[in-house]
Amino acid sequence: MTKGEKTRQRIFTAAIEEFAEHGYEGARVARISEQAGVNKERIYAHFENKENLFIEVWKHTYQLILSVDNSFLELTEEQIPYLGSIILSRYMQFHEDHPEFWKIFAWENLLQGKHNSAITGLKQPFHAHLKQLYQRGQQTGQFRKTVSFETFMFIIISISFTFASNKATMSETLGLDFKSDDIKSQYLKECNEFLFRAPGTESPAEG
């Protein structure tokens, strides 16, 4: 890695932390500069302006979840009874591994998806495969025909996102410690039972 590449990577790492903590409006190039150990001119030389830097951070954040989505291409019709459980388990683990993700995602939503053009269509191949499996499950009676694939995915995404982003307030609201591994396991198990468990089946083990 060249000196310039190392500098760019330090800037990028500092920018992820800054945007996750303060969002686009609250982020300051001066703080990114200080954290990265470079002057502001270096940041502008690599990224031109703060918005371009945020777009790169947003794209990077989105690429992280695509690595999970890519794993869904390996699923076959044998996994149809466990489809919801598998997707939810992997998304929950993803949020555990990348706590910055939901923050960047939330800030972009506060911008009304201003930078969505940077990630348009990236999920399409994965969703197409999952939709095919889901529709096959509808045909065989394992999923309700009155519930669309889009609603199915929206529920899964919402559950995993809310757990990651609302731990503090939900712990107070429900009187449970949602930062506890035991509570997380219970939450995941009961969501699977409530939403996705097909009659006569056992949920698969998800590490």
Side-chain angles (χ1 to χ4, degrees):
M1 185 180 290
T2 67
K3 183 178 179 180
E5 289 171 337
K6 290 179 180 179
T7 299
R8 182 183 175 90
Q9 186 57 50
R10 290 204 310 275
I11 294 169
F12 196 64
T13 300
I16 291 172
E17 296 179 7
E18 179 71 10
F19 285 122
E21 184 67 24
H22 301 285
Y24 175 69
E25 297 294 344
R28 295 292 177 264
V29 174
R31 284 197 294 259
I32 296 172
S33 169
E34 181 178 359
Q35 182 67 22
V38 301
N39 58 45
K40 290 192 291 185
E41 286 69 26
R42 284 291 86 206
I43 294 177
Y44 293 128
H46 283 280
F47 298 97
E48 295 187 13
N49 54 51
K50 187 174 83 168
E51 183 168 26
N52 282 347
L53 180 53
F54 180 80
I55 290 172
E56 289 303 311
V57 167
W58 167 232
K59 287 163 60 178
H60 166 79
T61 304
Y62 208 80
Q63 287 290 341
L64 291 174
I65 195 69
L66 293 181
S67 65
V68 178
D69 292 330
N70 188 59
S71 73
F72 297 144
L73 295 176
E74 301 171 359
L75 300 179
T76 68
E77 290 192 7
E78 293 182 358
Q79 281 85 43
I80 286 176
Y82 321 115
L83 194 61
S85 174
I86 291 170
I87 298 170
L88 178 59
S89 296
R90 293 183 188 179
Y91 278 169
M92 290 278 288
Q93 186 59 52
F94 170 80
H95 281 294
E96 197 75 21
D97 295 338
H98 300 282
E100 77 282 5
F101 176 85
W102 71 263
K103 297 177 183 179
I104 299 292
F105 211 86
W107 288 118
E108 174 61 16
N109 272 282
L110 287 172
L111 293 172
Q112 303 298 314
K114 180 180 179 181
H115 306 106
N116 274 350
S117 60
I119 48 86
T120 298
L122 294 180
K123 277 184 172 281
Q124 197 279 331
F126 316 116
H127 280 180
H129 179 67
L130 291 176
K131 187 172 185 177
Q132 185 178 38
L133 294 177
Y134 182 80
Q135 290 177 334
R136 179 58 180 159
Q138 287 180 311
Q139 294 169 1
T140 56
Q142 294 173 89
F143 298 119
R144 294 182 178 88
K145 293 183 178 180
T146 54
V147 178
S148 69
F149 169 75
E150 290 73 23
T151 296
F152 171 77
M153 287 301 299
F154 188 91
I155 290 170
I156 293 174
I157 292 168
S158 298
I159 290 171
S160 59
F161 187 90
T162 299
F163 185 90
S165 61
N166 289 26
K167 286 180 182 178
T169 54
M170 292 304 290
S171 292
E172 176 62 29
T173 299
L174 298 177
L176 296 171
D177 181 9
F178 278 88
K179 296 180 181 179
S180 160
D181 289 338
D182 289 340
I183 295 300
K184 176 190 171 184
S185 296
Q186 178 185 337
Y187 174 89
L188 181 57
K189 179 179 182 294
E190 292 179 1
C191 282
N192 287 331
E193 292 282 343
F194 181 65
L195 295 169
F196 309 125
R197 178 79 170 273
T201 63
E202 295 294 331
S203 297
E206 281 285 322

mmCIF file of all heavy atoms in Angstrom, residues 24-55:
data_model
loop_
_atom_site.group_PDB
_atom_site.id
_atom_site.type_symbol
_atom_site.label_atom_id
_atom_site.label_comp_id
_atom_site.label_asym_id
_atom_site.label_seq_id
_atom_site.Cartn_x
_atom_site.Cartn_y
_atom_site.Cartn_z
ATOM 1 N N TYR A 24 -24.336 13.598 8.741
ATOM 2 C CA TYR A 24 -23.749 14.451 7.713
ATOM 3 C C TYR A 24 -23.684 15.906 8.160
ATOM 4 O O TYR A 24 -22.652 16.572 8.033
ATOM 5 C CB TYR A 24 -24.551 14.345 6.417
ATOM 6 C CG TYR A 24 -24.065 15.298 5.354
ATOM 7 C CD1 TYR A 24 -22.833 15.111 4.740
ATOM 8 C CD2 TYR A 24 -24.823 16.416 4.994
ATOM 9 C CE1 TYR A 24 -22.366 16.001 3.786
ATOM 10 C CE2 TYR A 24 -24.366 17.309 4.038
ATOM 11 C CZ TYR A 24 -23.137 17.101 3.440
ATOM 12 O OH TYR A 24 -22.675 17.985 2.500
ATOM 13 N N GLU A 25 -24.782 16.403 8.702
ATOM 14 C CA GLU A 25 -24.832 17.816 9.081
ATOM 15 C C GLU A 25 -23.897 18.133 10.232
ATOM 16 O O GLU A 25 -23.265 19.192 10.257
ATOM 17 C CB GLU A 25 -26.272 18.210 9.441
ATOM 18 C CG GLU A 25 -27.274 18.088 8.301
ATOM 19 C CD GLU A 25 -26.998 19.060 7.166
ATOM 20 O OE1 GLU A 25 -26.238 20.022 7.383
ATOM 21 O OE2 GLU A 25 -27.535 18.851 6.066
ATOM 22 N N GLY A 26 -23.805 17.218 11.196
ATOM 23 C CA GLY A 26 -23.004 17.500 12.385
ATOM 24 C C GLY A 26 -21.527 17.173 12.262
ATOM 25 O O GLY A 26 -20.717 17.626 13.073
ATOM 26 N N ALA A 27 -21.173 16.389 11.256
ATOM 27 C CA ALA A 27 -19.770 15.998 11.092
ATOM 28 C C ALA A 27 -18.909 17.204 10.743
ATOM 29 O O ALA A 27 -19.355 18.122 10.055
ATOM 30 C CB ALA A 27 -19.651 14.934 9.998
ATOM 31 N N ARG A 28 -17.690 17.193 11.207
ATOM 32 C CA ARG A 28 -16.766 18.287 10.951
ATOM 33 C C ARG A 28 -15.471 17.743 10.328
ATOM 34 O O ARG A 28 -14.848 16.838 10.857
ATOM 35 C CB ARG A 28 -16.435 19.036 12.247
ATOM 36 C CG ARG A 28 -17.634 19.743 12.860
ATOM 37 C CD ARG A 28 -18.086 20.900 11.997
ATOM 38 N NE ARG A 28 -19.282 21.570 12.518
ATOM 39 C CZ ARG A 28 -20.517 21.317 12.125
ATOM 40 N NH1 ARG A 28 -20.735 20.384 11.186
ATOM 41 N NH2 ARG A 28 -21.539 21.962 12.636
ATOM 42 N N VAL A 29 -15.105 18.332 9.209
ATOM 43 C CA VAL A 29 -13.874 17.927 8.521
ATOM 44 C C VAL A 29 -12.671 18.146 9.432
ATOM 45 O O VAL A 29 -11.709 17.374 9.401
ATOM 46 C CB VAL A 29 -13.717 18.695 7.198
ATOM 47 C CG1 VAL A 29 -12.359 18.394 6.554
ATOM 48 C CG2 VAL A 29 -14.846 18.335 6.234
ATOM 49 N N ALA A 30 -12.718 19.170 10.264
ATOM 50 C CA ALA A 30 -11.606 19.452 11.175
ATOM 51 C C ALA A 30 -11.378 18.294 12.140
ATOM 52 O O ALA A 30 -10.236 17.928 12.431
ATOM 53 C CB ALA A 30 -11.882 20.739 11.949
ATOM 54 N N ARG A 31 -12.468 17.699 12.641
ATOM 55 C CA ARG A 31 -12.319 16.564 13.560
ATOM 56 C C ARG A 31 -11.800 15.331 12.816
ATOM 57 O O ARG A 31 -10.997 14.560 13.358
ATOM 58 C CB ARG A 31 -13.655 16.252 14.243
ATOM 59 C CG ARG A 31 -14.040 17.225 15.352
ATOM 60 C CD ARG A 31 -15.128 16.653 16.245
ATOM 61 N NE ARG A 31 -16.383 16.476 15.527
ATOM 62 C CZ ARG A 31 -17.420 17.316 15.607
ATOM 63 N NH1 ARG A 31 -17.338 18.408 16.358
ATOM 64 N NH2 ARG A 31 -18.531 17.074 14.950
ATOM 65 N N ILE A 32 -12.280 15.124 11.592
ATOM 66 C CA ILE A 32 -11.785 14.009 10.781
ATOM 67 C C ILE A 32 -10.295 14.187 10.530
ATOM 68 O O ILE A 32 -9.508 13.241 10.631
ATOM 69 C CB ILE A 32 -12.557 13.918 9.449
ATOM 70 C CG1 ILE A 32 -14.035 13.607 9.713
ATOM 71 C CG2 ILE A 32 -11.944 12.859 8.532
ATOM 72 C CD1 ILE A 32 -14.917 13.693 8.480
ATOM 73 N N SER A 33 -9.911 15.414 10.222
ATOM 74 C CA SER A 33 -8.508 15.738 9.977
ATOM 75 C C SER A 33 -7.652 15.414 11.193
ATOM 76 O O SER A 33 -6.587 14.788 11.083
ATOM 77 C CB SER A 33 -8.391 17.227 9.623
ATOM 78 O OG SER A 33 -7.046 17.649 9.621
ATOM 79 N N GLU A 34 -8.114 15.837 12.351
ATOM 80 C CA GLU A 34 -7.359 15.605 13.587
ATOM 81 C C GLU A 34 -7.251 14.116 13.893
ATOM 82 O O GLU A 34 -6.184 13.618 14.247
ATOM 83 C CB GLU A 34 -8.039 16.331 14.745
ATOM 84 C CG GLU A 34 -7.310 16.179 16.070
ATOM 85 C CD GLU A 34 -7.994 16.955 17.183
ATOM 86 O OE1 GLU A 34 -9.012 17.623 16.912
ATOM 87 O OE2 GLU A 34 -7.515 16.875 18.330
ATOM 88 N N GLN A 35 -8.367 13.405 13.755
ATOM 89 C CA GLN A 35 -8.382 11.968 14.051
ATOM 90 C C GLN A 35 -7.499 11.187 13.087
ATOM 91 O O GLN A 35 -6.816 10.236 13.480
ATOM 92 C CB GLN A 35 -9.826 11.438 13.973
ATOM 93 C CG GLN A 35 -9.995 9.966 14.304
ATOM 94 C CD GLN A 35 -9.709 9.645 15.759
ATOM 95 O OE1 GLN A 35 -9.766 10.527 16.623
ATOM 96 N NE2 GLN A 35 -9.369 8.403 16.042
ATOM 97 N N ALA A 36 -7.491 11.595 11.825
ATOM 98 C CA ALA A 36 -6.701 10.894 10.805
ATOM 99 C C ALA A 36 -5.232 11.310 10.822
ATOM 100 O O ALA A 36 -4.389 10.646 10.206
ATOM 101 C CB ALA A 36 -7.294 11.150 9.425
ATOM 102 N N GLY A 37 -4.914 12.409 11.500
ATOM 103 C CA GLY A 37 -3.537 12.883 11.550
ATOM 104 C C GLY A 37 -3.065 13.497 10.253
ATOM 105 O O GLY A 37 -1.893 13.392 9.891
ATOM 106 N N VAL A 38 -4.000 14.161 9.544
ATOM 107 C CA VAL A 38 -3.653 14.840 8.284
ATOM 108 C C VAL A 38 -4.279 16.232 8.308
ATOM 109 O O VAL A 38 -5.196 16.500 9.091
ATOM 110 C CB VAL A 38 -4.165 14.063 7.052
ATOM 111 C CG1 VAL A 38 -3.575 12.660 7.003
ATOM 112 C CG2 VAL A 38 -5.695 13.999 7.037
ATOM 113 N N ASN A 39 -3.799 17.112 7.451
ATOM 114 C CA ASN A 39 -4.441 18.424 7.382
ATOM 115 C C ASN A 39 -5.677 18.353 6.480
ATOM 116 O O ASN A 39 -5.845 17.410 5.702
ATOM 117 C CB ASN A 39 -3.454 19.500 6.903
ATOM 118 C CG ASN A 39 -2.857 19.181 5.541
ATOM 119 O OD1 ASN A 39 -3.565 18.778 4.630
ATOM 120 N ND2 ASN A 39 -1.554 19.386 5.398
ATOM 121 N N LYS A 40 -6.535 19.345 6.609
ATOM 122 C CA LYS A 40 -7.796 19.335 5.858
ATOM 123 C C LYS A 40 -7.568 19.344 4.354
ATOM 124 O O LYS A 40 -8.369 18.797 3.589
ATOM 125 C CB LYS A 40 -8.663 20.533 6.279
ATOM 126 C CG LYS A 40 -9.222 20.418 7.680
ATOM 127 C CD LYS A 40 -10.289 21.451 7.957
ATOM 128 C CE LYS A 40 -9.714 22.846 8.024
ATOM 129 N NZ LYS A 40 -10.756 23.846 8.425
ATOM 130 N N GLU A 41 -6.488 19.944 3.928
ATOM 131 C CA GLU A 41 -6.210 20.002 2.491
ATOM 132 C C GLU A 41 -6.035 18.604 1.902
ATOM 133 O O GLU A 41 -6.412 18.350 0.754
ATOM 134 C CB GLU A 41 -4.945 20.838 2.239
ATOM 135 C CG GLU A 41 -5.129 22.342 2.406
ATOM 136 C CD GLU A 41 -5.372 22.762 3.852
ATOM 137 O OE1 GLU A 41 -4.925 22.027 4.769
ATOM 138 O OE2 GLU A 41 -6.012 23.815 4.052
ATOM 139 N N ARG A 42 -5.469 17.674 2.689
ATOM 140 C CA ARG A 42 -5.312 16.300 2.225
ATOM 141 C C ARG A 42 -6.673 15.639 2.016
ATOM 142 O O ARG A 42 -6.883 14.871 1.079
ATOM 143 C CB ARG A 42 -4.516 15.480 3.244
ATOM 144 C CG ARG A 42 -3.033 15.711 3.282
ATOM 145 C CD ARG A 42 -2.336 15.174 2.019
ATOM 146 N NE ARG A 42 -2.344 16.150 0.937
ATOM 147 C CZ ARG A 42 -2.288 15.873 -0.343
ATOM 148 N NH1 ARG A 42 -2.237 14.621 -0.745
ATOM 149 N NH2 ARG A 42 -2.279 16.815 -1.255
ATOM 150 N N ILE A 43 -7.600 15.936 2.931
ATOM 151 C CA ILE A 43 -8.947 15.372 2.807
ATOM 152 C C ILE A 43 -9.615 15.878 1.532
ATOM 153 O O ILE A 43 -10.199 15.100 0.760
ATOM 154 C CB ILE A 43 -9.796 15.736 4.048
ATOM 155 C CG1 ILE A 43 -9.211 15.059 5.292
ATOM 156 C CG2 ILE A 43 -11.259 15.322 3.841
ATOM 157 C CD1 ILE A 43 -9.907 15.404 6.577
ATOM 158 N N TYR A 44 -9.512 17.174 1.288
ATOM 159 C CA TYR A 44 -10.131 17.732 0.086
ATOM 160 C C TYR A 44 -9.431 17.234 -1.179
ATOM 161 O O TYR A 44 -10.078 17.062 -2.229
ATOM 162 C CB TYR A 44 -10.102 19.256 0.151
ATOM 163 C CG TYR A 44 -10.971 19.819 1.248
ATOM 164 C CD1 TYR A 44 -10.457 20.730 2.180
ATOM 165 C CD2 TYR A 44 -12.296 19.438 1.367
ATOM 166 C CE1 TYR A 44 -11.256 21.239 3.196
ATOM 167 C CE2 TYR A 44 -13.108 19.948 2.381
ATOM 168 C CZ TYR A 44 -12.572 20.847 3.292
ATOM 169 O OH TYR A 44 -13.373 21.353 4.294
ATOM 170 N N ALA A 45 -8.140 16.946 -1.082
ATOM 171 C CA ALA A 45 -7.411 16.429 -2.237
ATOM 172 C C ALA A 45 -7.897 15.034 -2.610
ATOM 173 O O ALA A 45 -7.981 14.680 -3.792
ATOM 174 C CB ALA A 45 -5.910 16.398 -1.950
ATOM 175 N N HIS A 46 -8.243 14.242 -1.603
ATOM 176 C CA HIS A 46 -8.686 12.872 -1.852
ATOM 177 C C HIS A 46 -10.184 12.786 -2.163
ATOM 178 O O HIS A 46 -10.594 11.949 -2.971
ATOM 179 C CB HIS A 46 -8.377 11.991 -0.637
ATOM 180 C CG HIS A 46 -6.935 11.591 -0.526
ATOM 181 N ND1 HIS A 46 -6.387 10.559 -1.259
ATOM 182 C CD2 HIS A 46 -5.929 12.085 0.229
ATOM 183 C CE1 HIS A 46 -5.103 10.432 -0.966
ATOM 184 N NE2 HIS A 46 -4.787 11.337 -0.053
ATOM 185 N N PHE A 47 -11.006 13.639 -1.517
ATOM 186 C CA PHE A 47 -12.458 13.485 -1.628
ATOM 187 C C PHE A 47 -13.186 14.740 -2.126
ATOM 188 O O PHE A 47 -14.408 14.725 -2.252
ATOM 189 C CB PHE A 47 -13.039 13.063 -0.263
ATOM 190 C CG PHE A 47 -12.531 11.733 0.215
ATOM 191 C CD1 PHE A 47 -11.478 11.653 1.110
ATOM 192 C CD2 PHE A 47 -13.096 10.557 -0.253
ATOM 193 C CE1 PHE A 47 -11.002 10.426 1.554
ATOM 194 C CE2 PHE A 47 -12.637 9.323 0.190
ATOM 195 C CZ PHE A 47 -11.580 9.255 1.092
ATOM 196 N N GLU A 48 -12.481 15.816 -2.347
ATOM 197 C CA GLU A 48 -13.006 17.078 -2.875
ATOM 198 C C GLU A 48 -13.828 17.877 -1.866
ATOM 199 O O GLU A 48 -13.595 19.060 -1.673
ATOM 200 C CB GLU A 48 -13.847 16.854 -4.144
ATOM 201 C CG GLU A 48 -13.043 16.316 -5.316
ATOM 202 C CD GLU A 48 -13.853 16.259 -6.586
ATOM 203 O OE1 GLU A 48 -14.954 16.852 -6.651
ATOM 204 O OE2 GLU A 48 -13.388 15.602 -7.541
ATOM 205 N N ASN A 49 -14.816 17.229 -1.221
ATOM 206 C CA ASN A 49 -15.647 17.965 -0.249
ATOM 207 C C ASN A 49 -16.287 16.989 0.738
ATOM 208 O O ASN A 49 -16.173 15.762 0.585
ATOM 209 C CB ASN A 49 -16.722 18.798 -0.971
ATOM 210 C CG ASN A 49 -17.560 17.946 -1.909
ATOM 211 O OD1 ASN A 49 -18.094 16.906 -1.533
ATOM 212 N ND2 ASN A 49 -17.678 18.394 -3.166
ATOM 213 N N LYS A 50 -16.950 17.535 1.736
ATOM 214 C CA LYS A 50 -17.533 16.703 2.787
ATOM 215 C C LYS A 50 -18.621 15.789 2.243
ATOM 216 O O LYS A 50 -18.737 14.625 2.661
ATOM 217 C CB LYS A 50 -18.099 17.586 3.911
ATOM 218 C CG LYS A 50 -18.574 16.763 5.118
ATOM 219 C CD LYS A 50 -18.999 17.644 6.287
ATOM 220 C CE LYS A 50 -20.423 18.140 6.124
ATOM 221 N NZ LYS A 50 -20.936 18.743 7.384
ATOM 222 N N GLU A 51 -19.408 16.269 1.311
ATOM 223 C CA GLU A 51 -20.496 15.438 0.793
ATOM 224 C C GLU A 51 -19.959 14.219 0.055
ATOM 225 O O GLU A 51 -20.475 13.111 0.225
ATOM 226 C CB GLU A 51 -21.426 16.238 -0.126
ATOM 227 C CG GLU A 51 -22.596 15.391 -0.618
ATOM 228 C CD GLU A 51 -23.682 16.204 -1.274
ATOM 229 O OE1 GLU A 51 -23.381 17.294 -1.791
ATOM 230 O OE2 GLU A 51 -24.841 15.744 -1.273
ATOM 231 N N ASN A 52 -18.937 14.406 -0.763
ATOM 232 C CA ASN A 52 -18.344 13.265 -1.463
ATOM 233 C C ASN A 52 -17.775 12.254 -0.476
ATOM 234 O O ASN A 52 -17.859 11.039 -0.695
ATOM 235 C CB ASN A 52 -17.247 13.727 -2.415
ATOM 236 C CG ASN A 52 -17.793 14.318 -3.698
ATOM 237 O OD1 ASN A 52 -18.969 14.180 -4.002
ATOM 238 N ND2 ASN A 52 -16.939 15.002 -4.443
ATOM 239 N N LEU A 53 -17.194 12.754 0.606
ATOM 240 C CA LEU A 53 -16.662 11.863 1.629
ATOM 241 C C LEU A 53 -17.796 11.074 2.280
ATOM 242 O O LEU A 53 -17.682 9.862 2.497
ATOM 243 C CB LEU A 53 -15.897 12.670 2.677
ATOM 244 C CG LEU A 53 -15.263 11.891 3.840
ATOM 245 C CD1 LEU A 53 -14.371 10.764 3.334
ATOM 246 C CD2 LEU A 53 -14.468 12.855 4.734
ATOM 247 N N PHE A 54 -18.911 11.743 2.561
ATOM 248 C CA PHE A 54 -20.056 11.049 3.149
ATOM 249 C C PHE A 54 -20.609 9.998 2.186
ATOM 250 O O PHE A 54 -20.980 8.890 2.608
ATOM 251 C CB PHE A 54 -21.166 12.038 3.518
ATOM 252 C CG PHE A 54 -22.377 11.363 4.122
ATOM 253 C CD1 PHE A 54 -22.378 10.979 5.453
ATOM 254 C CD2 PHE A 54 -23.508 11.088 3.358
ATOM 255 C CE1 PHE A 54 -23.486 10.339 6.016
ATOM 256 C CE2 PHE A 54 -24.611 10.452 3.905
ATOM 257 C CZ PHE A 54 -24.594 10.077 5.244
ATOM 258 N N ILE A 55 -20.677 10.332 0.907
ATOM 259 C CA ILE A 55 -21.176 9.368 -0.086
ATOM 260 C C ILE A 55 -20.308 8.122 -0.100
ATOM 261 O O ILE A 55 -20.809 6.986 -0.168
ATOM 262 C CB ILE A 55 -21.230 10.011 -1.482
ATOM 263 C CG1 ILE A 55 -22.344 11.065 -1.535
ATOM 264 C CG2 ILE A 55 -21.468 8.951 -2.559
ATOM 265 C CD1 ILE A 55 -22.348 11.898 -2.802
#
